[in-house]
Amino acid sequence: MSMTYISKKHDYAATLDEKEQPKDQKSASVESLLVRTTKLTTVTIKLYRIMVFVRMAIFVLFFKWRISTALAMISDGATTVRAMWTMPIAGELWFALMWVLDQLPKMQPVRRTVFATALEEPLLPTMDVFVTTADPEKEPPLVTVNTILSILAADYPPDKLTCYVSDDGGALLTREAVAHAARFARLWVPFCRKHGVEPRNPEAYFCPGVKARVVSRAAYMGRSWPELARDRRRVRREYEELRLRIDALHAGDVRRQPWSRGTPEYHAGVVEVLVGPPGSTPELGVSDLLDLTSVDVRVPAVVYMCREKRHGRVHHRKAGAMNALLRTSAVLSNAPFILNLDCDDYVNNSQALRAGVCLMLDRGGSNVAFVQFPQRFDGVDPADRYANHNRVFFDCTELGLDGLQGPIYVGTGCMFRRAALYNADPPLWRPHGGDRDAGKDVATEADKFGISTPFLVSVRAALNLNRSEQWNTTSPPRSFDGAAVGEATALVSCGYEDRTAWGRDIGWIYGTVTEDVATGFCMHRRGWRSAYCATAPDAFRGTAPINLTDRLHQVLRWAAGSLEIFFSRNNALLAGARLHPLQRLAYLNTTVYPFTSIFLLLYCLLPAIPLVTRSASTSAFSVNTPPSATYIGFVAALMLTLAMVAALEVRWSGITLGEWWRNEQFWMVSATSAYAAAVVQVALKVAAGKEIAFKLTSKQRAPSAGGGVVKDRFAELYAVRWTVLMVPTAVVLTVNVASMAAAVQEGRWRKGPAAVLAMAFNAWVVVHLHPFALGLMGRWSKTLSPLLLLVVVFTVLSLCFVLHLHML
């Protein structure tokens, strides 16, 4: 974990000396208590850095020897020989470059201790939360409903929180489900406040087999434990009725009806306030179901938005929806901070919003554009066959980048500073003396922001508030009247962004299916920082595709989007001097990694493994030619240092060796399938202008909260859905298994070290593709392991070979 979460207030009251303490000194004291950042300087980290540089030095010596040897061998050779030498050297250089780009940005990790409750309610700024959904079939409304309820029940002042829901499909089913959620929230939110339940997602709280987190007896808010049990039963009964109503909507004709008279691709824009903003004074309630006489029953505001869509218009997928939310929220609540969540990414830790704000308001936090939380998932199989948790990225790479200019934005679970989305400069790079009326100058540029006067006024207010940093004394105006809603509806029209800077310099960036990476990059390029915030318990939890086909399509979308960024104006090589050099390497690695598939497929599909040989004939890679002792020495040194770096990385990051290994396996699966397809797709886009198709990732339907254990919880894991993405990986697996079988049957290992290394490479490929083989086997993988079958086959072949020699 990069951040230790502190939820008690004992340090806050004890540290602040409020006796005659000036207000400005008091604010500074509060700042000093919010976050404590510590650079990792343990022996493990120092050894890790040393081993990285040692391996880089070995790379330099190896390629110096390798290239000089190749030049001597091909000086008088044929064209075929030159090609057979050039290809493996180019591949080795690429693999070495990618390893260096991956390791260097991770060498300065930091850990943060955040005192989330040090900010009392009067000091907390207002916040807007964006929830996006697009298809009620792939993203079930019940999942979206639970996410909304978890947001409304978060431990944050209700008068300072507004939840915006974007329905990009314009489905009446989604709108009705959100309306039902808003009504149920009037019971769910006070129940959570009264008893301090965790998590505050009803499905996760009531789901059988999920142990709900409840506050300790000493800090319990209610009158007695029997009261909690009684209230829980009553609220659960109401939630079951909510589920039945949503299921009835989903089963009926409502799911096929558009909310605004049209189709998912053609409909009018709609902005509707489902729950109005509450007052600033706590309201004690009365209920027939619960005793709420001492509980604040206020519920944060909820706004439903469906942006306009027209045929012949480019709507820019999720990035367009996020920009529509940005404009809508600006004329309604205009909060200085924005939290963006996918429809399945619910609030798992009610203090998460406070923790993110602490990093924004901490001393030096004025230069932080966004706070990225790690993605954690429910419903993943225990073995995490397809590396859905992606711990290496979140707990190693993002943690390391936090010591540079900050982690990469990864689409959800991210808190933004509104001014940073408006293309403002951070204080560190702001011209001295020129920021007094800068908000006014920027806001009047209608060619950038559009022609809406109320929106331009809100932009000016947001930029000025960001410069003053008076979050606790200056609150942006909140207006949810008819005029404001009408203006918001005009702002979500599909033609509003015409001839403006939206998607280029303002808001979320267009031109790629991975708008998250591009948006974060643009902020870092302007000099902003970001921060990494990992809480315990996890701040947010979502769902992940456990089916192989869905997972490959998800990786394909990420890889294609990364290449789109590389071939765009947002290439890391073109960024200015404000981007940290190592941050530049991290972004370069993020946008070029799919090219690895080209060399990896060539290596895996060659009939003979490309090993160094002294032969200059066309059979340069014959197993009869032994590799030199120098080559074997370099290979041994590189493999040893690789193992040491990996072991040290696992040690300092806190991940397990199994998680690291699962990541390595699925990297091999992705590199031989989705990465290669992404290279082809982007090549067609660059050469012929063919746009990349966007396939929405299916969200798992939440298991029933009714009694009983859900049958076959991981059924999707064993479902085999053939896709063309599987073809190259299946060919690679077949070629290497066949090569190993032929080597055993023919006794090739007796032909020298080259043959042994060739078999070792075949085995390396097969072991890495083990999860892919399990996916192809479907339900057979429950009882039969491909590796076990492979061991049995090779054992039988070996016995047959020994018997054959004995008979001779």
Side-chain angles (χ1 to χ4, degrees), residues 102-214:
D102 180 61
Q103 294 297 324
L104 284 181
K106 296 189 291 189
M107 297 178 66
Q108 300 180 32
V110 298
R111 295 192 185 277
R112 304 182 188 276
T113 301
V114 175
F115 301 91
T117 54
L119 280 174
E120 294 188 344
E121 289 195 6
L123 300 176
L124 290 171
T126 56
M127 184 180 300
D128 294 335
V129 183
F130 294 172
V131 179
T132 54
T133 183
D135 187 345
E137 296 298 324
K138 293 186 176 181
E139 298 173 330
L142 184 62
V143 174
T144 305
V145 162
N146 276 274
T147 297
I148 294 171
L149 291 172
S150 70
I151 294 169
L152 301 181
D155 186 10
Y156 208 82
D159 58 310
K160 295 186 176 183
L161 186 65
T162 306
C163 178
Y164 292 85
V165 183
S166 169
D167 176 19
D168 227 26
L172 180 58
L173 170 59
T174 302
R175 188 267 172 196
E176 290 299 312
V178 175
H180 282 303
R183 287 190 287 270
F184 178 71
R186 300 191 181 279
L187 176 65
W188 173 251
V189 172
F191 167 73
C192 292
R193 289 184 186 142
K194 178 180 180 180
H195 297 293
V197 300
E198 297 279 356
R200 299 188 178 183
N201 172 340
E203 192 69 34
Y205 182 69
F206 294 126
C207 180
V210 177
K211 185 177 181 180
R213 300 190 302 271
V214 186

Side-chain angles (χ1 to χ4, degrees), residues 580-697:
H580 191 286
L582 293 182
Q583 193 82 17
R584 188 188 305 269
L585 294 184
Y587 274 111
L588 183 62
N589 179 47
T590 302
T591 55
V592 302
Y593 70 88
F595 289 127
T596 302
S597 61
I598 300 174
F599 299 102
L600 190 60
L601 283 172
L602 289 175
Y603 268 61
C604 294
L605 295 175
L606 282 176
I609 306 302
L611 299 172
V612 171
T613 178
R614 313 288 295 189
S615 172
S617 65
T618 56
S619 58
F621 296 95
S622 171
V623 297
N624 295 318
T625 305
S628 67
T630 305
Y631 179 82
I632 294 177
F634 274 122
V635 169
L638 289 172
M639 295 303 293
L640 179 62
T641 52
L642 175 63
M644 295 181 68
V645 168
L648 292 169
E649 185 177 32
V650 167
R651 177 84 179 190
W652 66 256
S653 64
I655 65 174
T656 66
L657 189 60
E659 291 168 337
W660 177 88
W661 171 241
R662 191 65 71 201
N663 184 82
E664 292 295 304
Q665 286 183 308
F666 196 73
W667 171 85
M668 186 71 171
V669 175
S670 302
T672 54
S673 57
Y675 293 0
V679 172
V680 173
Q681 285 187 353
V682 175
L684 290 175
K685 178 179 180 179
V686 173
K690 181 178 175 59
E691 287 296 326
I692 295 176
F694 179 85
K695 184 174 182 179
L696 187 67
T697 302

Side-chain angles (χ1 to χ4, degrees), residues 50-298:
I50 292 173
M51 292 310 304
V52 168
F53 286 116
V54 167
R55 194 163 195 261
M56 291 173 60
I58 296 175
F59 271 135
V60 173
L61 297 176
F62 170 70
F63 285 115
K64 179 181 179 181
W65 169 82
R66 187 89 158 97
I67 295 173
S68 62
T69 302
L71 291 175
M73 296 296 293
I74 67 177
S75 57
D76 298 323
T79 303
T80 305
V81 176
R82 292 193 183 96
M84 295 299 287
W85 274 96
T86 303
M87 188 275 294
I89 292 177
E92 290 160 3
L93 283 169
W94 179 260
F95 293 140
L97 174 63
M98 294 306 297
W99 186 86
V100 171
L101 291 179
D102 180 61
Q103 294 297 324
L104 284 181
K106 296 189 291 189
M107 297 178 66
Q108 300 180 32
V110 298
R111 295 192 185 277
R112 304 182 188 276
T113 301
V114 175
F115 301 91
T117 54
L119 280 174
E120 294 188 344
E121 289 195 6
L123 300 176
L124 290 171
T126 56
M127 184 180 300
D128 294 335
V129 183
F130 294 172
V131 179
T132 54
T133 183
D135 187 345
E137 296 298 324
K138 293 186 176 181
E139 298 173 330
L142 184 62
V143 174
T144 305
V145 162
N146 276 274
T147 297
I148 294 171
L149 291 172
S150 70
I151 294 169
L152 301 181
D155 186 10
Y156 208 82
D159 58 310
K160 295 186 176 183
L161 186 65
T162 306
C163 178
Y164 292 85
V165 183
S166 169
D167 176 19
D168 227 26
L172 180 58
L173 170 59
T174 302
R175 188 267 172 196
E176 290 299 312
V178 175
H180 282 303
R183 287 190 287 270
F184 178 71
R186 300 191 181 279
L187 176 65
W188 173 251
V189 172
F191 167 73
C192 292
R193 289 184 186 142
K194 178 180 180 180
H195 297 293
V197 300
E198 297 279 356
R200 299 188 178 183
N201 172 340
E203 192 69 34
Y205 182 69
F206 294 126
C207 180
V210 177
K211 185 177 181 180
R213 300 190 302 271
V214 186
V215 293
S216 64
R217 198 177 191 81
Y220 179 61
M221 293 175 58
R223 294 183 175 85
S224 65
W225 291 105
E227 185 177 348
L228 170 61
R230 184 169 55 252
D231 289 352
R232 189 177 189 274
R233 286 194 300 269
R234 292 173 178 175
V235 175
R236 179 170 184 168
R237 185 167 57 249
E238 294 296 318
Y239 177 66
E240 288 297 332
E241 293 182 5
L242 172 66
R243 284 182 59 99
L244 291 175
R245 287 193 292 269
I246 294 177
D247 287 342
L249 292 173
H250 197 273
D253 294 333
V254 174
R255 68 186 178 92
R256 291 184 291 271
Q257 296 178 12
W259 161 234
S260 52
R261 295 185 181 181
T263 66
E265 294 78 26
Y266 186 90
H267 54 254
V270 174
V271 176
E272 182 181 9
V273 179
L274 299 178
V275 178
S280 57
T281 305
E283 300 175 7
L284 305 182
V286 178
S287 173
D288 296 334
L289 296 176
L290 307 179
D291 181 7
L292 302 177
T293 54
S294 59
V295 180
D296 185 2
V297 297
R298 291 178 300 164

